[in-house]
Amino acid sequence: MKKLIFFFLLFFSQLSFSAMNHNGMTMDEKGMVMNSNPDTLPKDCKKISEDVHFTVHAGHKYAKKFNGKMYAFDQQQWDVKPCSRIKITFINDDDIRHQFMIHGLPGYLYPKGMFHIELYGKGEKEGFFIVPSQPKTYLVHCEVPQHMEKGMKAQLKVAGGDQDLPSIPGLTEPVTPDSYEVSWNQASWAILVLSVLVGFAGPFFLLMRYKNSK
Ligand SMILES: [Cu+2]
């Protein structure tokens, strides 16, 4: 009897883990979807203008075309109309953790202004969010440490957006250029000329002193 109760409890604990769903979050052993919203309209929208479906891939292979980058989405920009309902099918092609995370959505609908799909490894998950009406550019990235810096950064533009975000691979210039690039300003030229002069003049000066001392 005790054994039976034990297995009964085990079974139900596994069941509850495999379909946790609270505070706008669903998760299982493959990953999670946070703040998915398929039906609540932002305050400034009277109705959903259109339904769009984006399949977003994340992975190492999508960064190959970008110099010095390591991870990327297969696309770096998406454009939608005001009040669109967006369905995201997020596919992770890597064996490591990746996220599709969008920031800046209205806080009264999306806690911390965020909608987020995460996959712990290869796999696929989907979720919805509805955007407000005003023209705005939203940051899309992966928040796993260093993944954004290594290329996993993109933007979603509503009604053409209100700006371009920096450092989007193949799209916009970085805020600070990579440190391994040598910028030939006046100071670096001066140092080069000086080091050449010292390199030649030093031994010559020593030789002259040696000759004079004889
Ligand atoms: Cu990532």
Side-chain angles (χ1 to χ4, degrees):
M1 188 61 195
K2 263 186 182 169
K3 256 188 182 170
L4 197 71
I5 293 171
F6 175 75
F7 281 114
F8 189 73
L9 284 173
L10 193 73
F11 175 74
F12 273 93
S13 66
Q14 289 301 305
L15 202 72
S16 61
F17 179 75
S18 66
M20 257 198 259
N21 185 0
H22 45 83
N23 296 332
M25 182 170 86
T26 55
M27 67 183 293
D28 58 22
E29 69 288 348
K30 288 210 156 187
M32 64 167 125
V33 181
M34 249 171 124
N35 306 338
S36 186
N37 169 31
D39 41 36
T40 312
L41 286 170
K43 285 174 186 166
D44 53 338
C45 295
K46 284 204 175 74
K47 61 182 180 84
I48 286 163
S49 64
E50 67 172 354
D51 272 294
V52 286
H53 180 199
F54 297 127
T55 300
V56 180
H57 284 263
H60 183 63
K61 64 182 171 196
Y62 305 106
K64 280 182 186 151
K65 60 181 173 184
F66 304 122
N67 233 338
K69 297 299 178 193
M70 204 165 176
Y71 304 114
F73 299 115
D74 62 334
Q75 217 175 310
Q76 279 63 48
Q77 183 175 315
W78 302 272
D79 285 277
V80 294
K81 287 181 186 165
C83 304
S84 296
R85 172 165 53 200
I86 300 149
K87 178 182 175 183
I88 299 286
T89 300
F90 185 51
I91 300 172
N92 185 355
D93 294 323
D94 285 348
D95 285 318
I96 56 161
R97 220 172 114 210
H98 285 309
Q99 303 168 327
F100 174 96
M101 190 182 270
I102 179 162
H103 292 271
L105 295 165
Y108 59 87
L109 276 182
Y110 309 87
K112 291 181 184 168
M114 190 185 79
F115 163 81
H116 160 205
I117 303 179
E118 175 163 342
L119 287 159
Y120 306 140
K122 274 196 186 78
E124 181 178 330
K125 278 198 176 296
E126 58 184 45
F128 293 87
F129 60 99
I130 303 168
V131 293
S133 65
Q134 71 266 29
K136 187 173 170 176
T137 305
Y138 294 86
L139 167 68
V140 176
H141 71 150
C142 172
E143 223 178 39
V144 174
Q146 288 298 313
H147 283 201
M148 180 168 76
E149 290 73 10
K150 285 174 178 169
M152 236 171 212
K153 188 175 183 185
Q155 62 189 8
L156 173 90
K157 287 185 171 181
V158 175
D162 60 349
Q163 59 168 319
D164 275 313
L165 301 174
S167 306
I168 294 179
L171 216 67
T172 58
E173 291 296 315
V175 184
T176 46
D178 291 335
S179 56
Y180 53 75
E181 275 178 36
V182 179
S183 72
W184 286 102
N185 56 20
Q186 284 177 339
S188 48
W189 278 112
I191 289 166
L192 179 72
V193 170
L194 219 75
S195 53
V196 168
L197 279 177
V198 170
F200 277 104
F204 184 72
F205 181 72
L206 285 175
L207 194 73
M208 292 309 284
R209 274 188 65 153
Y210 176 73
K211 269 191 176 170
N212 287 343
S213 68
K214 265 190 173 178

